[in-house]
Amino acid sequence: MELLSTSLVDWSRAQFALTAMYHWLFVPLTPGLGVIQAILETIYVKTGKEEWKKAAKFWMTIFGINFAIGVATGIILEFQFGTNWSNYSYFVGDIFGAPLAIEGIVAFFMEATFISIMFFGWNKVSKGVHLAATWLTITGATLSALWILVANAWMQLPIGMEFNPLTARNEMVDFWAIISSPVAINKFFHAVISGWIQGSLFVIGISAWYILKKREIDFAKKSIRIAAIFGTISTVLIIATGHGSAQQVSYHQPMKLAVMEGLYEGQEGAPLIAMGIVNPKKESYKDDKEGVIMAMRLPKMLSWIAFGDADHYVPGIRNIIEGGYTKPDGTVALSFEEKQKMGQTAQIALSNFKKAEAAKDTAAMAEHKAVLDANYKNFGYGYLTSPEQSIPNVPLVFYSFHLMVILGGAFLLIFIVAMYMEWKDMLSKYNWLLWIFILFIPLGYLAGQLGWIVAEVGRQPWTIQDILPVQAAISGLQTSSVVITFVLFAVLFTGLLIAEIGIMVKQIKKGPKIENQLSETKDSVR
Amino acid sequence: MQTPRWLKNVFTFYRDGFKNMTVGKTLWAIVIIKLFIMFVVLKVFFFPNFLNSKFATDREKAEFVSSELIDRSTVNPSNFDKDN
């Protein structure tokens, strides 16, 4: 069989990217808005003041709209695994299946149980029980993210498994290693906290709209106060987890780090690029042209961020391909050709193993299995025909990373300004500032999307780092069928997004004076 | 046999909750339509499980995936010829 056509690989990737990006439009508001509404309700329970209850119930309604529209949009991704990525799906089934199954059983049912008390239980259960249900719903929703991010982190750092050539599967040998992977833990907090920031920006933006309209002023100020404090704390935390991500990437995915920074030639005391332009004249990783031009560089910062040592060596794209430098673990980095040779050796060993299995020659099977195991860590390089195939899209990753970081800084500034202005009771005086708060709602979504572009495009061509590239992972389908489903998804998700925005806008226009219509019953207070 | 009181309370809780929804009714309609499109239309007609549709046993699937992993290797001379 020959390698599959480029268009099939590209369309399969585009389809997955489309659905993942739409999914991430629905997801981040859930943990963010959830925590804010839970904080508001906690204040209500502590103080007994109705205005906090009103605020909590309003944001809970918006939370409910987002939750209902977004729920199960991630299942589409699982459909694609089985149809478009069948080699990948089978190859990793045991590893990927366990976290997803746990997500379904534990987190989903936890949410489903408590969410009904949260929405239907106002005035039906005690304040304490209702508050507990609210926090448990948010905990469940957050834990849902944990399991899918554990699965994603495993693709970035495949550990805790052993490849079984008899079943053609990676079989889990250490579940704890998978769920306690440093990449998984950091990724979980980074993604969830980005949702907290999104929720904070959303609450501040919508509240600013009320102040502009001179409506619900007290409610809006209270909401901004809580969201600005929560957003500030979240942004500080995301800087810490972002630092953690950079360190994880520098150890486990050095190519991603080099591409994020447009770094072609490695150096000790490498600077961090604050801003710059990817050199359009750079034609090859081997030429001597600069990777980034007109760059504003912060001396030694990249070395410090990545390795905690301002003079540490950071390899560039060329060095990673040519090898020969000393890695953080003290070993010498292999060149692309050496890794490719290892990958091909592993694939030949797999082929020989299957032949030995057919001949029922157990001694030969053991011998080929040993060769396979010894070379397995670079198994995927046997599918790459040139070093260029191991380099992700530099401009896309570079600009996504830098814009995300710039936006992160802007969010911190916005939260601090909002906090100060609310504290000084000056919010109503500056309409232009209120409009900026509104503008930051879509920018929050943009930052989340950019983060995922860095994480996922930055690890191309791998579906599983160093083990399985995209061209080996996809199913041999007709490209036209993938195009058709791409269009179907685009229509479905666009429809859902329009529905969500429409219902939310309608509800926001009604305002918090309208009692929570998701939950309110006609019954009198018990 | 008499229905336990706690069960009645749970039933009443959910019945009242669903009955008195307003925005929730619209959302439930969207959720049901969405799930119908996803599971009945997309899953059945456009997203059959590729391996399940071709093979009945895990053994057959393993053999197929193994052959895919081997055949797509650059060790296979035809692949080298195609890309270079």
Side-chain angles (χ1 to χ4, degrees):
Chain A
M1 183 178 175
E2 293 184 337
L3 285 174
L4 298 167
S5 74
T6 307
S7 68
L8 175 61
V9 176
D10 287 346
W11 273 106
S12 299
R13 289 178 62 200
Q15 186 192 68
F16 199 86
L18 173 86
T19 39
M21 291 177 88
Y22 258 115
H23 181 55
W24 196 251
L25 284 179
F26 297 116
V27 168
L29 201 55
T30 298
L33 206 50
V35 173
I36 290 173
Q37 72 176 43
I39 292 171
L40 291 167
E41 189 181 341
T42 304
I43 297 172
Y44 160 64
V45 172
K46 288 259 182 197
T47 63
K49 292 181 178 173
E50 286 294 316
E51 61 262 33
W52 291 104
K53 181 182 179 185
K54 185 174 83 170
K57 289 179 82 172
F58 174 75
W59 294 116
M60 193 175 286
T61 305
I62 304 298
F63 169 93
I65 294 167
N66 184 66
F67 186 88
I69 304 281
V71 73
T73 51
I75 289 173
I76 295 280
L77 298 170
E78 292 187 39
F79 290 175
Q80 289 174 41
F81 285 141
T83 304
N84 301 62
W85 303 89
S86 60
N87 287 350
Y88 162 85
S89 185
Y90 193 82
F91 192 62
V92 305
D94 296 336
I95 308 284
F96 220 71
L100 294 183
I102 293 170
E103 180 200 350
I105 294 165
V106 180
F108 180 77
F109 283 107
M110 191 172 173
E111 284 173 60
T113 304
F114 295 111
I115 203 166
S116 54
I117 299 175
M118 187 174 89
F119 282 121
F120 297 157
W122 290 105
N123 305 331
K124 296 263 186 184
V125 297
S126 71
K127 285 180 184 176
V129 169
H130 192 276
L131 181 62
T134 300
W135 278 110
L136 285 166
T137 300
I138 308 314
T139 306
T142 306
L143 284 177
S144 296
L146 171 67
W147 297 108
I148 190 70
L149 290 170
V150 163
N152 179 276
W154 181 83
M155 295 191 285
Q156 319 267 348
L157 176 61
I159 52 174
M161 87 298 188
E162 191 176 321
F163 179 66
N164 183 347
L166 283 170
T167 59
R169 283 190 143 163
N170 287 281
E171 294 173 353
M172 191 185 299
V173 294
D174 189 348
F175 181 65
W176 179 247
I178 293 170
I179 62 167
S180 65
S181 156
V183 176
I185 292 167
N186 201 82
K187 187 174 274 290
F188 169 69
F189 284 109
H190 199 61
V192 168
I193 293 168
S194 77
W196 293 355
I197 291 174
Q198 180 61 59
S200 303
L201 290 169
F202 185 87
V203 169
I204 290 173
I206 301 301
S207 301
W209 181 81
Y210 282 119
I211 297 173
L212 274 171
K213 294 286 173 189
K214 303 192 189 316
R215 290 177 52 190
E216 317 295 347
I217 303 293
D218 182 61
F219 155 81
K221 286 180 180 174
K222 280 185 166 59
S223 296
I224 287 178
R225 188 187 312 161
I226 299 303
I229 295 169
F230 182 55
T232 304
I233 295 167
S234 301
T235 313
V236 171
L237 290 175
I238 213 164
I239 291 169
T241 57
H243 183 195
S245 291
Q247 290 186 317
Q248 297 298 334
V249 166
S250 64
Y251 280 87
H252 305 300
Q253 296 172 304
M255 180 63 89
K256 187 192 281 185
L257 182 74
V259 171
M260 282 160 65
E261 278 296 293
L263 183 71
Y264 282 85
E265 300 294 338
Q267 62 186 101
E268 292 172 353
L272 183 75
I273 294 178
M275 276 187 278
I277 297 171
V278 176
N279 189 353
K281 292 182 179 166
K282 180 89 180 162
E283 289 166 347
S284 164
Y285 72 91
K286 286 181 282 194
D287 68 32
D288 292 331
K289 292 169 191 157
E290 268 197 285
V292 179
I293 54 174
M294 299 170 70
M296 184 193 294
R297 292 184 165 87
L298 306 173
K300 299 188 179 229
M301 278 296 283
L302 182 60
S303 288
W304 180 79
I305 287 172
F307 296 102
D309 173 1
D311 293 318
H312 202 284
Y313 176 78
V314 180
I317 293 169
R318 182 172 182 161
N319 313 101
I320 293 163
I321 288 172
E322 293 178 352
Y325 63 91
T326 304
K327 296 199 293 184
D329 64 5
T331 59
V332 175
L334 299 177
S335 67
F336 173 83
E337 283 76 17
E338 288 169 314
K339 291 177 191 169
Q340 186 188 43
K341 185 73 186 166
M342 284 181 75
Q344 291 172 340
T345 303
Q347 289 161 6
I348 292 168
L350 174 62
S351 176
N352 290 335
F353 179 93
K354 299 308 288 184
K355 287 173 191 163
E357 183 194 3
K360 296 189 170 69
D361 183 347
T362 51
M365 285 167 69
E367 186 185 326
H368 297 308
K369 172 78 163 56
V371 175
L372 175 60
D373 289 345
N375 294 280
Y376 186 69
K377 68 176 182 179
N378 288 311
F379 187 83
Y381 281 90
Y383 297 107
L384 306 185
T385 55
S386 68
E388 284 80 2
Q389 287 189 338
S390 68
I391 306 173
N393 184 317
V394 177
L396 182 57
V397 177
F398 176 88
Y399 289 124
S400 297
F401 172 64
H402 287 84
L403 188 52
M404 177 189 71
V405 172
I406 290 167
L407 284 172
F411 296 158
L412 183 60
L413 184 66
I414 280 291
F415 289 136
I416 291 171
V417 168
M419 204 160 44
Y420 179 79
M421 298 298 270
E422 195 281 326
W423 178 49
K424 291 288 182 185
D425 200 17
M426 292 160 66
L427 284 167
S428 307
K429 293 179 186 171
Y430 300 98
N431 282 2
W432 59 269
L433 183 62
L434 296 171
W435 279 111
I436 288 177
F437 289 163
I438 296 170
L439 176 70
F440 267 74
I441 296 176
L443 291 181
Y445 284 101
L446 177 64
Q449 297 288 333
L450 293 171
W452 279 108
I453 289 171
V454 173
E456 300 304 305
V457 179
R459 71 179 165 102
Q460 292 303 311
W462 307 111
T463 56
I464 308 166
Q465 184 71 37
D466 299 341
I467 306 283
L468 194 71
V470 285
Q471 59 265 47
I474 59 169
S475 312
L477 301 171
Q478 293 292 320
T479 305
S480 57
S481 71
V482 184
V483 175
I484 289 168
T485 47
F486 177 93
V487 174
L488 282 173
F489 284 143
V491 171
L492 174 67
F493 279 108
T494 305
L496 284 174
L497 189 63
I498 291 168
E500 165 153 1
I501 292 171
I503 296 169
M504 268 193 188
V505 167
K506 195 174 166 189
Q507 204 61 25
I508 289 164
K509 280 182 178 171
K510 283 183 181 175
K513 276 185 176 169
I514 305 297
E515 282 288 77
N516 187 328
Q517 298 188 11
L518 278 167
S519 62
E520 199 62 28
T521 71
K522 290 167 188 164
D523 290 358
S524 57
V525 177
R526 288 186 177 184
Chain B
M1 200 177 85
Q2 205 172 10
T3 312
R5 185 170 173 75
W6 68 267
L7 199 59
K8 271 187 185 169
N9 289 342
V10 170
F11 175 77
T12 309
F13 178 85
Y14 278 95
R15 185 198 63 197
D16 291 349
F18 282 112
K19 202 166 69 180
N20 295 301
M21 288 190 304
T22 52
V23 180
K25 282 176 185 159
T26 308
L27 293 175
W28 273 108
I30 291 173
V31 168
I32 289 165
I33 292 167
K34 174 177 70 177
L35 292 177
F36 178 83
I37 292 172
M38 281 169 56
F39 286 98
V40 180
V41 180
L42 291 176
K43 178 65 182 161
V44 174
F45 295 104
F46 296 97
F47 285 92
N49 186 294
F50 184 82
L51 294 176
N52 288 349
S53 66
K54 288 179 181 290
F55 308 104
T57 66
D58 276 353
R59 176 84 187 163
E60 290 172 327
K61 291 175 196 169
E63 289 306 313
F64 175 77
V65 172
S66 294
S67 67
E68 290 270 286
L69 293 175
I70 293 163
D71 290 349
R72 293 188 191 184
S73 167
T74 50
V75 182
N76 181 340
S78 66
N79 292 337
F80 260 132
D81 295 344
K82 186 169 185 279
D83 262 44
N84 296 329

